[in-house]
Amino acid sequence: MTGEHREGVTGLPNPRGEVSGMAKFGVLVFPGTNCEIDVLRVLRDLLHQDAELVWYEERDLERYDAVILPGGFSYGDYLRAGAMARWTPVIEAVYAAAEKGRLILGICNGFQILTEAGLLPGALQRNRHLRYVCGWTHVRVERTDTPFTSAYRKGQVLRIPISHGEGNFYADPDALAEIEKRGQVLLRYATPDGQLTETANPNGSLHHIAGIMNKAGNVMGLMPHPERACEAVLGSEDGCGIFASMIHYLTKGRVFHVG
Amino acid sequence: MSASLPLWAVLGLRQEEYLKICEDLGNEPSETVLRMYAVMWSEHCAYKHSKPVLRRLPTKGPHVLQGPGENAGVVDLGDGLALVFKIESHNHPSAIEPFQGAATAVGGILRDVIAMGARPVALLDSLRFGWPDEARQRYLLSGVVAGIGHYGNSMGVPTVGGEVYFDPAYSGNCLVNSMGLGLARREEIQRAIAQGPGNPILVVGARTGRDGIGGAAFASQELSGASEADRPAVQVGDPFMGKLLMEALHELYKAGGVVGVQDCGAGGLTSACVEMANRGGVGMEIDVLQVPRREEGMLPWEVMLSESQERMVVCLERGREAEAVRIFRKWGLEAAVIGVVTDDGVFRVKEGARVVAEVPVRSLADGAPEYTPDAREPAYLRPLRAFDFARLPEPEDYGDVLRKLIASPNIASRQWVYSQYDHHVRLGTVVGPGGDAALLRLPGTKKGVAVKIDGNGRYCYLNPRRGAAIAVAEAARNVVCVGAKPQAVTNNLNFGNPEKPEVYWQFVEAVEGMAEACRALGTPVTGGNVSFYNEFEGRPIYPTPTIGMVGVSPDVERHVQPGFKRPGDVIVLLGQPEGAHLGGSEYCWVIHGVVAGDAPELDLDLERRLQECVFAAIHQGIVTAAHDVAEGGLAVALAEMCIQALPEARGCRVTVPLGPGRADGQLFGETQSRVLVTVGREDVERLRNLALEHDVPIRLLGEVTADGRFRLAVLQPSPKEGAALGRSLIDLPVEALRREWQEGLERWLVPGGA
């Protein structure tokens, strides 16, 4: 099963081989962030990028081509996931970087922070069944002409794990219609063969939304953890394409544009 | 309630203990001193009833870097790496406040690992509840699982495995045992020691409040309907604070100048400071006014005995205080110098200039009397062991039995539980929850660490010595089944009131059994925890020693899992070829409602040979799947391999030659020392040779199929010489079994479920 999905990423020129260039990544660390080392490991050890951790009190992100807000429990998720991290000094710098067209990627808690900060539409509510949920999910790639998804094929199904208590994507009907109309949805929870069934949706997200981007197309948030799906020994390599797409965009100044 | 009782009695001390305290001090203790003694000499802190027995456990081995006596045990992994691991229980707190009781269990075990200088890399939990038809048991399970997730997930430590069992014996006293593992470079290992007179003592992390006062004493009593009133003795966990404390401590370790560290667990500052001073053979002076507090008006003894969570005591080299304070401030935490190491062997507590307690460190830390109470074989054993299994009818429909067994909450999928735990964070999980054991890769090497937590209260109830030995053997077997070699053991001994001769007998027997098995399998015990007084309204739980086993895999790429991989592979039973043992089985409990007989027999020498054989076969690369035969016996183990198979290998055709004894005993009985493996047809001969080499019985049972059906037949010796009769006993779609297995536990827990 995995083999078939893997082919999508490796079916391209192998993303690891393809990313000959090197971009500079800043990986933000808030008190309570816990996936920063994992993201760093993938960027540095697997994709050979220039990546470093950035403390939440930093006010200048000028030196980074891309900024990643990794997963975890910033401020313990005590008020509401992402609600406190959103008011830290570094978020001002994230606004500035987004404004300048730098790539911003929020994973899990990072996605929650980006919606709280208003950089992405919608909100992430508690999971429908009110329990934390960790496990493998399948997500369908909706668009490939973006800086985050160009390494994939349209309609390709990726096997990537989730791990969250508040991943239930919500937007009011008008906002949701707008998100759909503008094609901002990049990933939807699906069955392994790409069907949008009720059981394939792990948290009750509206329209099965697992990942979206902003209108300008340079800020993406997703609940699944692509950094946990970058090595076969851990169960999947499907997540690698997100980072590979970003690197390709940043170093070649274009997207892959694959069928 | 206590107007007429002297304070020492109210605090749970015995008269002989009070007299020894007076003798050690040379006068009568003040209230503050007496309260400190009551905690330090509680069963929970002093191991008064267990110490003499625990000395019988083997604790040494060439790879053991740290045995019992520190915050956690340590084994050498080679390549300069060390594995830190430890297990702890939070049974009593969880029984009355499941969420916080379990959350603080996780917090506590992680701080033990962190105090050793290691990065926590994995958590496991062993849980016991009453039968899930009771609403309270479901409430406890839901609360405990949410509490474990609350703390572990937030800390960014994956929960990679565990076990959960249900039995009415745990209805009034659930068990929550939590195991933590950490990695460090050998030279990074810290000790829980205070040394060097003049060196400062700091408390770091959270502020001190009145929460959890008396927690250690509470844990040293039996539970009853009135225990609900002890809810304030349960601490409240703050995983966010715990995460900050972990990061700040690691930054401090890197900065250097740390002499020793200890978690503030049971007994709070008193226990941490006194134990550190005792290990260093020094004295210590503490000023309670310097301890950052979250409440006003606390008395000195309240400060000294508070069990507020997320605090550690650190002994630094003189002159490094300012740097420590700076690091902790960066993480938004307190670091306060509260005292100093002295050379007089006295633990002195001051409130400003006023001395409120002066006690010899050795008396407080080590002076509690040891007890060896009477031990007597319980009267229940004889009639139970004499149970006549011929009274139980043999099943008419074996398929129906298999469906019921696989849906038992003790066998069914644990996904409802482990899906609430992050099991992927840190990118180390090669085999996560649901495998025979968990397997983590070691960064920078090909190697991996396998870990399993295992216990069987029912076997131990029927035969504590053999039951405990089986727990060790089975945990080791599980570790082998993912391709690792067992290395060492940590344990949590959950028993009733040791002052009852029957309970004490169970305890002594279980420790002996554990010692025998650990010696035979070459897995020394590096530490553990004893939890007594697990009783409700005078009724003790099943004696439940929990074993945490760690092993090392030379090559994680060579790991195997239980699910079938390829149609056509040959299914082989390695180990004990025959056996119809019914005692203590899940089959007898689920189908017949009977807990009786004796625990299964265990041949430790065969067990060791079997494990070596399976390990060798996996690392020759010929094994495509491996699974321990455990609860539910051979039939359930085969069904589990089908259910977890790759889609293209979902089925089997198996023929079991019947030996002596009942057919149900041979298919569903829990005969020990058995592993099912699959190999390609071309590798059968190599496996045979390996089995021969290790003197391990081998039996070819059948093959993996692609047709989605579970087919099991038996071969019966026929009355005619030399002939045998084949008879199909089970022929079911794997999908039907899978559904039973998937929903077996969930249907109790998910509203609107079946």
Side-chain angles (χ1 to χ4, degrees):
Chain A
M1 182 165 39
T2 354
E4 173 199 333
H5 306 311
R6 224 177 278 149
E7 176 203 328
V9 181
T10 47
L12 280 174
N14 175 354
R16 293 190 200 166
E18 178 72 12
V19 293
S20 51
M22 191 190 273
K24 193 160 174 68
F25 284 83
V27 179
L28 305 192
V29 183
F30 302 91
T33 298
N34 65 28
C35 299
E36 73 276 22
I37 302 298
D38 297 355
V39 170
L40 209 56
R41 182 188 151 84
V42 167
L43 291 173
R44 279 183 185 166
D45 300 353
L46 297 180
L47 299 170
H48 310 293
Q49 298 300 299
D50 182 3
E52 62 190 27
L53 300 180
V54 181
W55 190 237
Y56 73 105
E57 287 170 319
E58 181 64 55
R59 288 167 192 277
D60 180 6
L61 296 172
E62 204 39 47
R63 58 194 180 282
Y64 303 110
D65 304 316
V67 173
I68 298 185
L69 292 81
F73 288 72
S74 58
Y75 296 91
D77 278 1
Y78 283 162
L79 179 58
R80 191 173 62 238
M84 308 229 271
R86 172 253 175 284
W87 295 104
T88 56
V90 78
I91 294 299
E92 290 301 321
V94 173
Y95 284 131
E99 191 79 4
K100 286 185 181 140
R102 306 279 161 81
L103 296 187
I104 316 284
L105 178 70
I107 301 167
C108 196
N109 196 229
F111 185 13
Q112 294 161 338
I113 296 169
L114 291 176
T115 59
E116 288 285 339
L119 280 163
L120 288 172
L124 294 146
Q125 299 183 315
R126 287 201 65 190
N127 296 343
R128 178 179 43 192
H129 45 58
L130 303 182
R131 289 191 309 275
Y132 192 95
V133 58
C134 171
W136 290 95
T137 57
H138 293 89
V139 289
R140 192 176 75 191
V141 179
E142 301 295 279
R143 278 181 73 170
T144 57
D145 56 342
T146 80
F148 302 98
T149 54
S150 60
Y152 300 117
R153 279 178 285 107
K154 188 164 160 51
Q156 189 181 341
V157 178
L158 315 176
R159 185 168 180 266
I160 304 184
I162 55 165
S163 191
H164 57 247
E166 301 172 43
N168 180 357
F169 185 84
Y170 176 83
D172 65 53
D174 290 347
L176 192 60
E178 174 90 1
I179 289 167
E180 291 288 5
K181 197 181 82 194
R182 291 178 183 271
Q184 286 173 251
V185 180
L186 302 188
L187 302 171
R188 287 185 217 271
Y189 299 110
T191 61
D193 57 356
Q195 306 302 307
L196 303 183
T197 66
E198 193 62 18
T199 47
N201 185 343
N203 51 28
S205 290
L206 289 179
H207 292 199
H208 288 238
I209 288 173
I212 55 170
M213 65 177 181
N214 64 349
K215 285 178 201 163
N218 68 323
V219 179
M220 179 189 184
L222 75 168
M223 287 315 294
H225 283 270
E227 80 280 9
R228 298 183 183 183
C230 291
E231 291 172 86
V233 71
L234 299 182
S236 171
E237 294 178 299
D238 293 358
C240 227
I242 301 265
F243 304 106
S245 302
M246 292 171 74
I247 295 159
H248 194 88
Y249 175 85
L250 292 170
T251 56
K252 306 287 192 292
R254 61 178 173 83
V255 295
F256 279 122
H257 289 301
V258 177
Chain B
M1 65 168 188
S2 52
S4 57
L5 282 175
L7 182 62
W8 55 263
V10 175
L11 296 174
L13 288 165
R14 300 182 185 192
Q15 185 161 26
E16 58 191 293
E17 292 168 347
Y18 180 70
L19 294 174
K20 178 148 194 305
I21 291 168
C22 294
E23 190 188 314
D24 284 4
L25 293 174
N27 55 31
E28 292 212 359
S30 67
E31 180 181 343
T32 305
V33 170
L34 196 56
R35 286 184 182 276
M36 294 199 304
Y37 266 106
V39 169
M40 292 301 292
W41 286 19
S42 69
E43 184 63 42
H44 191 77
C45 291
Y47 291 76
K48 289 180 287 195
H49 288 88
S50 58
K51 248 190 206 167
V53 182
L54 295 176
R55 290 193 190 103
R56 302 178 196 180
L57 294 170
T59 59
K60 295 200 166 55
H63 50 280
V64 174
L65 297 177
Q66 178 64 59
E70 284 282 336
N71 279 316
V74 186
V75 294
D76 190 357
L77 294 172
D79 299 307
L81 290 170
L83 179 69
V84 172
F85 61 107
K86 172 82 180 289
I87 192 168
E88 282 255 349
S89 62
H90 255 209
N91 304 336
H92 284 191
S94 304
I96 56 172
E97 172 33 52
F99 183 91
Q100 290 299 344
T104 51
V106 173
I109 199 66
L110 288 176
R111 284 194 302 283
D112 279 339
V113 169
I114 297 162
M116 295 300 293
R119 264 275 163 196
V121 295
L123 285 163
L124 297 94
D125 305 280
S126 171
L127 312 177
R128 297 287 184 283
F129 303 96
W131 200 249
D133 60 343
E134 267 180 50
R136 175 154 183 92
Q137 304 307 321
R138 301 195 293 272
Y139 156 75
L140 289 171
L141 171 68
S142 304
V144 164
V145 170
I148 290 169
H150 173 66
Y151 213 109
N153 296 346
S154 191
M155 288 288 283
V157 181
T159 297
V160 298
E163 51 156 20
V164 52
Y165 286 101
F166 303 88
D167 192 292
Y170 304 99
S171 289
N173 193 131
C174 63
L175 299 185
V176 175
N177 294 179
S178 188
M179 178 175 176
L181 283 86
L183 277 181
R185 301 206 59 79
R186 279 185 66 162
E187 65 276 12
E188 290 169 344
I189 296 291
Q190 298 282 350
R191 290 195 60 200
I193 194 170
Q195 271 176 326
N199 278 338
I201 300 296
L202 289 83
V203 62
V204 300
R207 291 170 166 251
T208 298
R210 283 197 176 88
D211 43 333
I213 290 179
F218 162 61
S220 304
Q221 294 159 11
E222 300 161 30
L223 291 172
S224 72
S227 298
E228 193 65 22
D230 283 326
R231 196 183 279 263
V234 180
Q235 308 89 334
V236 174
D238 178 350
F240 176 54
M241 182 67 86
K243 169 84 160 98
L244 301 179
L245 178 59
M246 170 170 74
E247 299 302 338
L249 270 171
H250 278 284
E251 207 168 314
L252 181 67
Y253 295 153
K254 211 174 275 174
V258 176
V259 177
V261 198
Q262 180 156 343
D263 171 38
C264 280
L269 280 176
T270 301
S271 168
C273 291
V274 170
E275 287 179 9
M276 287 173 79
N278 190 45
R279 287 194 194 96
V282 296
M284 196 182 284
E285 189 173 295
I286 301 291
D287 179 2
V288 292
L289 289 185
Q290 304 306 315
V291 177
R293 307 178 192 184
R294 64 167 79 111
E295 309 183 40
E296 287 180 2
M298 288 178 74
L299 296 170
W301 68 265
E302 290 178 316
V303 175
M304 291 309 294
L305 296 178
S306 157
E307 293 186 10
S308 291
Q309 297 288 290
E310 289 85 31
R311 298 177 305 158
M312 299 261 219
V313 173
V314 180
C315 178
L316 284 183
E317 288 167 10
R318 217 177 327 175
R320 307 301 283 258
E321 300 90 325
E323 188 175 20
V325 170
R326 182 189 60 73
I327 290 170
F328 279 85
R329 195 164 291 157
K330 171 186 161 188
W331 290 95
L333 299 178
E334 303 273 356
V337 177
I338 60 166
V340 65
V341 177
T342 63
D343 60 2
D344 59 2
V346 171
F347 187 60
R348 191 173 293 109
V349 180
K350 294 162 74 176
E351 189 177 39
R354 187 171 72 94
V355 174
V356 296
E358 271 185 312
V359 190
V361 165
R362 200 152 296 278
S363 166
L364 202 48
D366 255 349
E370 289 181 5
Y371 300 120
T372 310
D374 290 339
R376 187 169 58 230
E377 184 176 307
Y380 72 77
L381 272 180
R382 200 178 283 244
L384 273 187
R385 293 232 182 116
F387 182 82
D388 178 14
F389 284 96
R391 278 165 50 189
L392 306 181
E394 289 202 42
E396 282 173 14
D397 182 344
Y398 277 78
D400 187 50
V401 169
L402 180 60
R403 289 172 77 136
K404 284 186 179 138
L405 268 180
I406 206 121
S408 160
N410 288 334
I411 290 179
S413 168
R414 271 82 184 97
Q415 196 180 6
W416 185 89
V417 174
Y418 67 72
S419 67
Q420 297 184 57
Y421 309 145
D422 190 336
H423 42 269
H424 296 130
V425 64
R426 297 192 60 80
L427 307 186
T429 313
V430 176
V431 178
D436 275 23
L439 181 64
L440 304 164
R441 63 176 174 177
L442 283 176
T445 75
K446 283 169 69 183
K447 290 196 257 189
V449 167
V451 54
K452 171 71 182 178
I453 193 165
D454 208 17
N456 191 318
R458 207 182 283 150
Y459 293 169
C460 291
Y461 173 64
L462 299 172
N463 187 334
R465 179 181 291 249
R466 205 188 283 160
I470 289 173
V472 174
E474 194 173 332
R477 206 183 303 141
N478 284 313
V479 158
V480 167
C481 281
V482 296
K485 193 169 156 23
Q487 298 286 310
V489 160
T490 181
N491 67 92
N492 203 108
L493 302 170
N494 307 280
F495 288 80
N497 178 350
E499 298 160 50
K500 294 182 180 172
E502 292 81 7
V503 170
Y504 195 67
W505 181 86
Q506 292 173 332
F507 176 70
V508 174
E509 285 286 300
V511 171
E512 291 284 2
M514 191 164 79
E516 279 167 27
C518 286
R519 264 190 214 103
L521 301 176
T523 53
V525 177
T526 63
N529 179 57
V530 179
S531 173
F532 281 134
Y533 302 97
N534 291 291
E535 305 207 351
F536 186 77
E537 308 285 6
R539 205 167 58 94
I541 58 160
Y542 284 162
T544 312
T546 304
I547 301 298
M549 176 74 69
V550 297
V552 173
S553 164
D555 182 358
V556 288
E557 299 277 351
R558 275 277 158 88
H559 74 270
V560 290
Q561 297 200 59
F564 293 140
K565 299 295 175 304
R566 285 184 315 209
D569 276 358
V570 178
I571 301 168
V572 180
L573 177 66
L574 289 170
Q576 206 67 260
E578 286 176 350
H581 189 89
L582 282 168
S585 63
E586 185 67 13
Y587 164 72
C588 282
W589 165 246
V590 169
I591 304 298
H592 301 290
V594 166
V595 176
D598 199 347
E601 280 166 27
L602 177 66
D603 174 346
L604 281 166
D605 195 57
L606 170 63
E607 181 69 46
R608 184 184 47 76
R609 298 196 311 269
L610 167 70
Q611 293 185 13
E612 286 169 2
C613 177
V614 172
F615 179 84
I618 290 174
H619 286 281
Q620 287 196 5
I622 57 177
V623 176
T624 48
H627 190 29
D628 169 37
V629 178
E631 289 84 3
L634 196 57
V636 163
L638 283 164
E640 287 169 340
M641 294 177 87
C642 279
I643 290 167
Q644 296 176 60
L646 292 182
E648 63 273 20
R650 192 164 268 193
C652 69
R653 186 190 302 274
V654 162
T655 305
V656 179
L658 286 185
R662 296 163 58 135
D664 54 354
Q666 299 186 56
L667 294 181
F668 303 120
E670 295 168 17
T671 299
Q672 291 298 300
S673 307
R674 301 175 129 187
V675 172
L676 283 165
V677 300
T678 57
V679 292
R681 210 157 274 288
E682 65 285 3
D683 290 322
V684 170
E685 223 29 59
R686 280 175 73 188
L687 187 63
R688 261 191 218 284
N689 290 337
L690 271 177
L692 198 65
E693 215 174 283
H694 289 90
D695 189 18
V696 169
I698 175 170
R699 188 169 261 190
L700 273 49
L701 295 184
E703 64 170 356
V704 177
T705 62
D707 64 356
R709 290 197 81 82
F710 179 91
R711 291 195 178 93
L712 186 147
V714 289
L715 211 54
Q716 261 171 330
S718 130
K720 276 186 241 159
E721 191 73 17
L725 289 172
R727 179 159 65 103
S728 165
L729 282 189
I730 305 174
D731 185 350
L732 285 171
V734 173
E735 179 52 26
L737 289 170
R738 192 200 62 80
R739 208 174 310 120
E740 294 289 346
W741 178 78
Q742 191 65 45
E743 295 170 2
L745 179 56
E746 252 174 52
R747 65 168 59 119
W748 294 99
L749 297 160
V750 178

